[in-house]
Amino acid sequence: MAFEGLTERLQSAMTKLRRKPKVTEADLKETMREIRLALLEADVNFAVVKDFVKQVRERAAGTDVLTGLNPAQQIVKIVDEELTKTMGSEAVPLNKSEKIPTIIMMTGLQGAGKTTTAGKLALKLKNEENARPMFIAADVYRPAAIDQLETVAKSIDVPVFQLGTDVDPVEIVRQGLVVAKENHNDYVIIDTAGRLQIDEKLMNELVEIQTLSQPDEILLVVDAMTGQNAVETADGFNNQLNLTGVVLTKLDGDTRGGAALSIRAVTGKPIKFVGQGEKMTDLDVFHPDRMSSRILG
Ligand code: GDP
């Protein structure tokens, strides 16, 4: 289960605190140490942990935690609020263009869940807004990638613009946008190529597609299971592209929590959606406060 270790350790720190008839400075210090270790063990970025603990400690010192009623409950509240803040405080909606089509560029490393998420997002837009999205298949390096997008698209009844694997991806996007405009599609979702790692060729191509298509939304899809690697990937993409948001996938797996808790703070970009399964309906808007409650259990 996601966050299992982190939830257990945070709860155990709070339970210990609750059992004390009176909470002393030393108890508080010990609790902060336990929270710090719990976060580090959940693979949260070191700088993020440091900052988080500092914020909680300062707030606890500034209130009547030690003298007031129910110190443990007050600490839980502070931790909850600071976790929420670390993850961005508020849900951030999808950017939309004033005139159609809204262009969404999907980016991410191979296997992160980019194509699946493109499908989930298209279905969400269809279901919630009665939208008429169109995909552009711009991953020409693996023939299987186009087949996969076609399969996903067919399952949710969304058209795909593709020119096979022999045409330059930037040209495919250019022609795809013309077709979307002709057909009055209100959303265009561009499925770009992924690699196993960030490399210069991939980045150059993505920058070219960005320059040509001027997307309203550039979403980076990252696999929550990869912890700090997901954070490094996000940092790398964010340095070269004008990312507007992150989608965290595989939160139905047993991710420790590092990616969810670090990405916003490290990149400054909001997590907009979370993938919680392999089905097309398994995509949810990311709510920092709900995620914090889930982590605290
Ligand atoms: P891409 O290479 O980035 O396009 O990745 P794919 O969309 O092909 O996804 C890679 C694998 O991850 C596939 O088996 C997907 O079904 C799976 N996947 C994607 N998102 C999720 C998710 O949120 N939860 C789970 N359990 N699996 C996912």
Side-chain angles (χ1 to χ4, degrees), residues 43-161:
D43 204 18
V44 180
N45 175 281
F46 185 75
V48 175
V49 174
K50 214 172 144 196
D51 195 45
F52 179 85
V53 170
K54 182 166 170 271
Q55 294 296 326
V56 175
R57 194 185 290 130
E58 277 178 13
R59 281 187 61 185
T63 55
D64 57 354
V65 165
L66 296 182
T67 51
L69 286 174
N70 227 326
Q73 207 166 316
Q74 289 190 55
I75 296 284
V76 172
K77 185 164 176 282
I78 294 174
V79 169
D80 184 18
E81 287 169 7
E82 290 298 324
L83 280 177
T84 304
K85 211 156 93 189
T86 303
M87 290 185 286
S89 297
E90 303 279 331
V92 182
L94 206 61
N95 291 337
K96 284 189 192 155
S97 162
E98 300 221 320
K99 59 181 207 302
I100 64 164
T102 288
I103 300 170
I104 303 173
M105 181 172 163
M106 307 295 295
T107 65
L109 295 183
Q110 205 171 301
K114 188 163 31 63
T115 305
T116 311
T117 304
K120 290 173 174 177
L121 188 56
L123 181 63
K124 200 173 189 54
L125 293 167
K126 275 183 72 160
N127 288 345
E128 290 175 8
E129 302 179 15
N130 233 339
R132 292 178 51 248
M134 182 192 96
F135 291 119
I136 297 179
D139 180 356
V140 300
Y141 304 102
R142 292 182 310 133
I146 299 181
D147 294 343
Q148 190 198 349
L149 182 64
E150 291 276 11
T151 307
V152 163
K154 203 166 163 209
S155 76
I156 54 171
D157 196 21
V158 168
V160 179
F161 178 86

Side-chain angles (χ1 to χ4, degrees), residues 107-118 120 139 142 145 148 152 191-192 194 221 223 248-253 274-279 282-283:
T107 65
L109 295 183
Q110 205 171 301
K114 188 163 31 63
T115 305
T116 311
T117 304
K120 290 173 174 177
D139 180 356
R142 292 182 310 133
Q148 190 198 349
V152 163
D191 191 27
T192 65
V221 179
D223 178 344
L248 206 53
T249 63
K250 310 186 194 180
L251 272 187
D252 50 313
V274 287
Q276 320 224 54
E278 295 194 80
K279 292 199 303 293
D282 293 333
L283 185 74

